[in-house]
Amino acid sequence: MLNMKILVINGPNLNLLGLREPDVYGMATYDDLTSYIQKTANELDISVKIVQTNHEGDIVDHIQQAFGRFDAIILNPAAYTHTSIAILDALKAVPVPAVEVHLSDIYEREAFRHVSYPSAACVKSIVGKGFLGYGEALAFLKEYVSNIK
Ligand code: DQA
């Protein structure tokens, strides 16, 4: 499929990569992350739009607006992963396949991070692989979307 379009949504505090908890998230910055995603998308011949917001409702808006505009969503809801039924409901409402990505392995961290609401509405979850998780999500969705088209 030519020109597959994927929307990447990054949630709160991911704009502070490089500064925030480097022992957990590493030294690379948010710009490094977007460059990596863009480069990998180019290699896979995928057109990608990357957005970041610190606001839960903005994530809901981005998911809703993806319908009819994007073939798939890659979503790192950050801390809203563990609290947001609104994001889960948005993913369930909109028939656009989504992959959940977390830089860290949420299942190996504090107990409150072990629950992921959006995972119930995602076709795949990738955790603990750092930036490479986004690359894996792009490659997975390229295959997944061509199979459902
Ligand atoms: C995160 C994991 C979340 O628990 C945390 O709140 C984040 C980042 C990750 O990418 O590892 O902000 O989603």
Side-chain angles (χ1 to χ4, degrees):
M1 184 191 178
L2 212 60
N3 282 329
M4 182 180 298
K5 291 193 196 119
I6 294 185
L7 176 65
V8 179
I9 307 171
N10 285 314
N13 302 307
L14 289 168
N15 55 316
L16 295 185
L17 284 177
L19 173 72
R20 75 181 291 213
E21 303 179 80
D23 46 319
V24 178
Y25 299 110
M27 298 294 285
T29 65
Y30 187 70
D31 278 353
D32 295 332
L33 174 60
T34 57
S35 304
Y36 167 75
I37 294 170
Q38 189 60 68
K39 179 175 152 283
T40 310
N42 292 348
E43 285 164 8
L44 291 167
D45 203 20
I46 293 170
S47 129
V48 80
K49 179 176 178 187
I50 307 165
V51 294
Q52 188 276 329
T53 173
N54 293 323
H55 307 281
E56 181 178 10
D58 287 349
I59 297 178
V60 171
D61 287 343
H62 283 305
I63 293 168
Q64 290 186 6
Q65 288 158 13
F67 181 55
R69 294 190 176 90
F70 291 92
D71 298 296
I73 294 170
I74 294 172
L75 175 64
N76 183 347
Y80 293 129
T81 306
H82 319 299
T83 60
S84 181
I85 296 167
I87 293 173
L88 169 63
D89 284 350
L91 290 168
K92 281 176 150 177
V94 171
V96 180
V99 168
E100 171 192 23
V101 172
H102 298 283
L103 297 163
S104 64
D105 185 347
I106 55 173
Y107 300 104
E108 293 289 329
R109 297 181 62 190
E110 305 96 316
F112 63 83
R113 296 186 204 273
H114 295 181
V115 171
S116 167
Y117 286 100
S119 69
C122 289
V123 295
K124 189 177 173 70
S125 296
I126 300 167
V127 304
K129 297 188 175 172
F131 287 8
L132 296 181
Y134 289 83
E136 190 177 320
L138 285 165
F140 171 84
L141 282 169
K142 182 173 179 168
E143 187 71 16
Y144 184 89
V145 171
S146 9
N147 287 337
I148 57 171
K149 286 270 168 188

PDB file of all heavy atoms in Angstrom, residues 36-52:
ATOM      1  N   TYR A  36      14.009  10.057  14.932  1.00  0.00           N
ATOM      2  CA  TYR A  36      14.063   8.596  14.751  1.00  0.00           C
ATOM      3  C   TYR A  36      12.780   8.077  14.095  1.00  0.00           C
ATOM      4  O   TYR A  36      12.824   7.256  13.165  1.00  0.00           O
ATOM      5  CB  TYR A  36      14.293   7.893  16.101  1.00  0.00           C
ATOM      6  CG  TYR A  36      14.046   6.403  16.020  1.00  0.00           C
ATOM      7  CD1 TYR A  36      14.966   5.558  15.408  1.00  0.00           C
ATOM      8  CD2 TYR A  36      12.847   5.853  16.493  1.00  0.00           C
ATOM      9  CE1 TYR A  36      14.707   4.200  15.275  1.00  0.00           C
ATOM     10  CE2 TYR A  36      12.592   4.498  16.371  1.00  0.00           C
ATOM     11  CZ  TYR A  36      13.525   3.672  15.763  1.00  0.00           C
ATOM     12  OH  TYR A  36      13.266   2.334  15.620  1.00  0.00           O
ATOM     13  N   ILE A  37      11.623   8.567  14.584  1.00  0.00           N
ATOM     14  CA  ILE A  37      10.339   8.097  14.032  1.00  0.00           C
ATOM     15  C   ILE A  37      10.238   8.503  12.555  1.00  0.00           C
ATOM     16  O   ILE A  37       9.863   7.691  11.698  1.00  0.00           O
ATOM     17  CB  ILE A  37       9.152   8.678  14.836  1.00  0.00           C
ATOM     18  CG1 ILE A  37       9.147   8.132  16.266  1.00  0.00           C
ATOM     19  CG2 ILE A  37       7.825   8.363  14.141  1.00  0.00           C
ATOM     20  CD1 ILE A  37       8.165   8.833  17.216  1.00  0.00           C
ATOM     21  N   GLN A  38      10.606   9.763  12.259  1.00  0.00           N
ATOM     22  CA  GLN A  38      10.517  10.258  10.875  1.00  0.00           C
ATOM     23  C   GLN A  38      11.431   9.456   9.945  1.00  0.00           C
ATOM     24  O   GLN A  38      11.013   9.051   8.852  1.00  0.00           O
ATOM     25  CB  GLN A  38      10.901  11.746  10.860  1.00  0.00           C
ATOM     26  CG  GLN A  38      10.643  12.443   9.546  1.00  0.00           C
ATOM     27  CD  GLN A  38       9.174  12.415   9.123  1.00  0.00           C
ATOM     28  OE1 GLN A  38       8.344  13.031   9.750  1.00  0.00           O
ATOM     29  NE2 GLN A  38       8.863  11.664   8.066  1.00  0.00           N
ATOM     30  N   LYS A  39      12.655   9.195  10.398  1.00  0.00           N
ATOM     31  CA  LYS A  39      13.631   8.459   9.584  1.00  0.00           C
ATOM     32  C   LYS A  39      13.138   7.031   9.323  1.00  0.00           C
ATOM     33  O   LYS A  39      13.186   6.538   8.198  1.00  0.00           O
ATOM     34  CB  LYS A  39      14.980   8.432  10.330  1.00  0.00           C
ATOM     35  CG  LYS A  39      16.086   7.701   9.631  1.00  0.00           C
ATOM     36  CD  LYS A  39      17.397   7.862  10.430  1.00  0.00           C
ATOM     37  CE  LYS A  39      18.350   6.710  10.241  1.00  0.00           C
ATOM     38  NZ  LYS A  39      18.027   5.488  10.977  1.00  0.00           N
ATOM     39  N   THR A  40      12.631   6.387  10.380  1.00  0.00           N
ATOM     40  CA  THR A  40      12.147   5.009  10.217  1.00  0.00           C
ATOM     41  C   THR A  40      10.934   4.968   9.304  1.00  0.00           C
ATOM     42  O   THR A  40      10.803   4.072   8.466  1.00  0.00           O
ATOM     43  CB  THR A  40      11.800   4.409  11.599  1.00  0.00           C
ATOM     44  OG1 THR A  40      12.898   4.624  12.472  1.00  0.00           O
ATOM     45  CG2 THR A  40      11.517   2.923  11.512  1.00  0.00           C
ATOM     46  N   ALA A  41      10.047   5.943   9.442  1.00  0.00           N
ATOM     47  CA  ALA A  41       8.858   6.004   8.578  1.00  0.00           C
ATOM     48  C   ALA A  41       9.283   6.177   7.117  1.00  0.00           C
ATOM     49  O   ALA A  41       8.744   5.505   6.220  1.00  0.00           O
ATOM     50  CB  ALA A  41       7.946   7.145   9.018  1.00  0.00           C
ATOM     51  N   ASN A  42      10.261   7.052   6.872  1.00  0.00           N
ATOM     52  CA  ASN A  42      10.755   7.248   5.498  1.00  0.00           C
ATOM     53  C   ASN A  42      11.266   5.932   4.920  1.00  0.00           C
ATOM     54  O   ASN A  42      10.962   5.585   3.777  1.00  0.00           O
ATOM     55  CB  ASN A  42      11.903   8.279   5.459  1.00  0.00           C
ATOM     56  CG  ASN A  42      11.418   9.678   5.785  1.00  0.00           C
ATOM     57  OD1 ASN A  42      10.216   9.939   5.820  1.00  0.00           O
ATOM     58  ND2 ASN A  42      12.358  10.583   6.034  1.00  0.00           N
ATOM     59  N   GLU A  43      12.049   5.205   5.736  1.00  0.00           N
ATOM     60  CA  GLU A  43      12.615   3.931   5.266  1.00  0.00           C
ATOM     61  C   GLU A  43      11.509   2.939   4.922  1.00  0.00           C
ATOM     62  O   GLU A  43      11.656   2.116   4.025  1.00  0.00           O
ATOM     63  CB  GLU A  43      13.514   3.321   6.351  1.00  0.00           C
ATOM     64  CG  GLU A  43      14.861   4.022   6.480  1.00  0.00           C
ATOM     65  CD  GLU A  43      15.591   3.686   7.787  1.00  0.00           C
ATOM     66  OE1 GLU A  43      15.133   2.786   8.534  1.00  0.00           O
ATOM     67  OE2 GLU A  43      16.610   4.361   8.055  1.00  0.00           O
ATOM     68  N   LEU A  44      10.391   3.012   5.646  1.00  0.00           N
ATOM     69  CA  LEU A  44       9.280   2.066   5.431  1.00  0.00           C
ATOM     70  C   LEU A  44       8.265   2.610   4.419  1.00  0.00           C
ATOM     71  O   LEU A  44       7.241   1.973   4.171  1.00  0.00           O
ATOM     72  CB  LEU A  44       8.571   1.775   6.761  1.00  0.00           C
ATOM     73  CG  LEU A  44       9.363   0.967   7.795  1.00  0.00           C
ATOM     74  CD1 LEU A  44       8.689   1.033   9.161  1.00  0.00           C
ATOM     75  CD2 LEU A  44       9.485  -0.494   7.345  1.00  0.00           C
ATOM     76  N   ASP A  45       8.543   3.792   3.876  1.00  0.00           N
ATOM     77  CA  ASP A  45       7.635   4.424   2.910  1.00  0.00           C
ATOM     78  C   ASP A  45       6.257   4.720   3.530  1.00  0.00           C
ATOM     79  O   ASP A  45       5.225   4.557   2.892  1.00  0.00           O
ATOM     80  CB  ASP A  45       7.508   3.503   1.674  1.00  0.00           C
ATOM     81  CG  ASP A  45       7.082   4.288   0.457  1.00  0.00           C
ATOM     82  OD1 ASP A  45       7.251   5.510   0.456  1.00  0.00           O
ATOM     83  OD2 ASP A  45       6.542   3.669  -0.484  1.00  0.00           O
ATOM     84  N   ILE A  46       6.300   5.164   4.776  1.00  0.00           N
ATOM     85  CA  ILE A  46       5.072   5.539   5.490  1.00  0.00           C
ATOM     86  C   ILE A  46       5.099   7.052   5.688  1.00  0.00           C
ATOM     87  O   ILE A  46       6.143   7.619   6.015  1.00  0.00           O
ATOM     88  CB  ILE A  46       5.013   4.854   6.880  1.00  0.00           C
ATOM     89  CG1 ILE A  46       4.861   3.344   6.731  1.00  0.00           C
ATOM     90  CG2 ILE A  46       3.894   5.429   7.740  1.00  0.00           C
ATOM     91  CD1 ILE A  46       5.033   2.579   8.046  1.00  0.00           C
ATOM     92  N   SER A  47       3.943   7.678   5.501  1.00  0.00           N
ATOM     93  CA  SER A  47       3.892   9.110   5.809  1.00  0.00           C
ATOM     94  C   SER A  47       3.383   9.263   7.247  1.00  0.00           C
ATOM     95  O   SER A  47       2.386   8.644   7.638  1.00  0.00           O
ATOM     96  CB  SER A  47       3.046   9.797   4.726  1.00  0.00           C
ATOM     97  OG  SER A  47       2.084  10.569   5.280  1.00  0.00           O
ATOM     98  N   VAL A  48       4.107  10.049   8.032  1.00  0.00           N
ATOM     99  CA  VAL A  48       3.840  10.076   9.463  1.00  0.00           C
ATOM    100  C   VAL A  48       3.619  11.520   9.940  1.00  0.00           C
ATOM    101  O   VAL A  48       4.260  12.446   9.454  1.00  0.00           O
ATOM    102  CB  VAL A  48       5.009   9.378  10.214  1.00  0.00           C
ATOM    103  CG1 VAL A  48       6.208  10.274  10.376  1.00  0.00           C
ATOM    104  CG2 VAL A  48       4.590   8.846  11.541  1.00  0.00           C
ATOM    105  N   LYS A  49       2.651  11.684  10.855  1.00  0.00           N
ATOM    106  CA  LYS A  49       2.485  12.968  11.544  1.00  0.00           C
ATOM    107  C   LYS A  49       2.674  12.690  13.027  1.00  0.00           C
ATOM    108  O   LYS A  49       2.091  11.728  13.559  1.00  0.00           O
ATOM    109  CB  LYS A  49       1.094  13.539  11.270  1.00  0.00           C
ATOM    110  CG  LYS A  49       0.869  14.863  11.973  1.00  0.00           C
ATOM    111  CD  LYS A  49      -0.451  15.497  11.639  1.00  0.00           C
ATOM    112  CE  LYS A  49      -0.613  16.788  12.429  1.00  0.00           C
ATOM    113  NZ  LYS A  49      -1.944  17.361  12.283  1.00  0.00           N
ATOM    114  N   ILE A  50       3.490  13.516  13.679  1.00  0.00           N
ATOM    115  CA  ILE A  50       3.802  13.279  15.095  1.00  0.00           C
ATOM    116  C   ILE A  50       3.310  14.471  15.908  1.00  0.00           C
ATOM    117  O   ILE A  50       3.652  15.611  15.602  1.00  0.00           O
ATOM    118  CB  ILE A  50       5.331  13.119  15.298  1.00  0.00           C
ATOM    119  CG1 ILE A  50       5.894  12.050  14.349  1.00  0.00           C
ATOM    120  CG2 ILE A  50       5.644  12.774  16.751  1.00  0.00           C
ATOM    121  CD1 ILE A  50       7.416  12.085  14.216  1.00  0.00           C
ATOM    122  N   VAL A  51       2.491  14.188  16.935  1.00  0.00           N
ATOM    123  CA  VAL A  51       2.015  15.266  17.805  1.00  0.00           C
ATOM    124  C   VAL A  51       2.329  14.916  19.263  1.00  0.00           C
ATOM    125  O   VAL A  51       2.454  13.739  19.617  1.00  0.00           O
ATOM    126  CB  VAL A  51       0.490  15.511  17.650  1.00  0.00           C
ATOM    127  CG1 VAL A  51       0.165  16.031  16.255  1.00  0.00           C
ATOM    128  CG2 VAL A  51      -0.332  14.261  17.958  1.00  0.00           C
ATOM    129  N   GLN A  52       2.500  15.955  20.072  1.00  0.00           N
ATOM    130  CA  GLN A  52       2.723  15.745  21.515  1.00  0.00           C
ATOM    131  C   GLN A  52       1.837  16.734  22.258  1.00  0.00           C
ATOM    132  O   GLN A  52       1.715  17.908  21.875  1.00  0.00           O
ATOM    133  CB  GLN A  52       4.203  15.991  21.867  1.00  0.00           C
ATOM    134  CG  GLN A  52       4.592  15.604  23.305  1.00  0.00           C
ATOM    135  CD  GLN A  52       4.292  16.682  24.340  1.00  0.00           C
ATOM    136  OE1 GLN A  52       4.336  17.875  24.048  1.00  0.00           O
ATOM    137  NE2 GLN A  52       3.965  16.257  25.553  1.00  0.00           N
TER     138      GLN A  52
END
